[in-house]
Amino acid sequence: MHYSFSSLLISLSLVSIIVLLIQYLLSNKQIYKVIRIDFILILTLVVLLRLIFPLESDWTLTLKSTTVLPTLYEFFERKIQLFHFANLTYFSTLIMIWILGSVFLLVKLIFRYSKINCFIYTMEDQTNLYASKRIHAFKKLDQMNVKIYSSNNITTPMIYGFKEFKLLLPNIDFTDDELEYIFLHEVQHAQNQDILIKLVLEILVSVYWWFLPIYILRKQIQLVLEIRVDSQVTKSIRKQNYFDYLESLISVNHELVKQKATATSLENQLASFTFIETNTLKRRIEFMIEGYEKQSTKPIFLVLISLILLIASSIILEPYRIDEVSKNESTEIVDSSDTYILKKKTGEFRLFITNQDMGVIDDVNDNSLNGIPIIEE
């Protein structure tokens, strides 16, 4: 496997298409009965893998582009004079801007998580207080050694940590039933390692800061993770408690809206029971209602989407270049009076046959090109 500009371009194109598909699936209530969270998770996994590994494998099918990619490559290979001592191409200049932007955002991300850690360590451990309550789900917290903290600056129940987990609660007098479902929900986030997934996502956003679909993807994954936990929790409880869990989401959200907390920035980084954002909660509830009778996608749909994604990931486009022309074809080229080599102002050589651009010439001194006139632009 190796990395190339073409593999990056194809990866980002595939990611853009899948992001649009996920957005359609999450926005279309009529599809919820057919397409469940397992289907969307497959799409999400493929997107993350393509962003982390935008590589070209040895078994990839390569298709040659004679128009779009050669033109694009030609543009990026043009040289620009940024400084008196630097003669860079457009491509290398954009790479420099990309790297500088990524480094800045990654440093900013490190400071943000450091600030979260500092904020949490100033809070008082209230695990023993909640241990005295008769809440069945507290046993799961205790088994995972989850510590409980509360603060006026917490907007919604959320969990933080990668090995040692901390459950953060707003200073709200929740009912025992609400705490039961909050604990179940947050423990499931911890078991899924959703906090780590969100950290990886934030790193990808910092790396691909210039790629606009990444910001849509971030919101989608936040919603998908919450829907997955909702599905897992409702499977683990009795059927008659299904709508009790749903009602707890609504009642907790109602309490959070009434409490005007100040720290809203933690929600994106941590895994939370409910977002105050109305549209997010609405989609979660609709997804649960439609999935009351059917919580999984038909296996045939899962197999089909897996095959389609596999085929799509095994194709790559490469620009057509002159070094791929065989010697026999080169002999015929020499005999043509309508064949010439154009030397561009950038120093690049391109082959033209009957006024059609055939691509870039890597080695203009190749013996197979003897006799072809060179015309300067």
Side-chain angles (χ1 to χ4, degrees), residues 98-154:
W98 181 1
I99 293 174
L100 290 174
S102 297
V103 170
F104 171 77
L105 291 174
L106 287 171
V107 171
K108 189 177 178 181
L109 179 64
I110 293 172
F111 276 106
R112 190 160 72 235
Y113 270 86
S114 299
K115 190 176 180 180
I116 292 173
N117 281 322
C118 293
F119 169 71
I120 292 174
Y121 284 117
T122 60
M123 300 169 63
E124 183 180 353
D125 187 346
Q126 297 187 353
T127 307
N128 292 332
L129 176 64
Y130 287 93
S132 63
K133 297 177 180 288
R134 295 183 177 181
I135 302 172
H136 180 73
F138 182 82
K139 294 180 181 179
K140 291 191 174 183
L141 293 177
D142 192 45
Q143 290 172 356
M144 296 185 65
N145 197 28
V146 178
K147 303 299 181 182
I148 303 176
Y149 301 84
S150 64
S151 170
N152 289 326
N153 293 322
I154 299 296

Side-chain angles (χ1 to χ4, degrees), residues 50 197 297:
R50 291 298 292 187
I197 294 174
T297 308

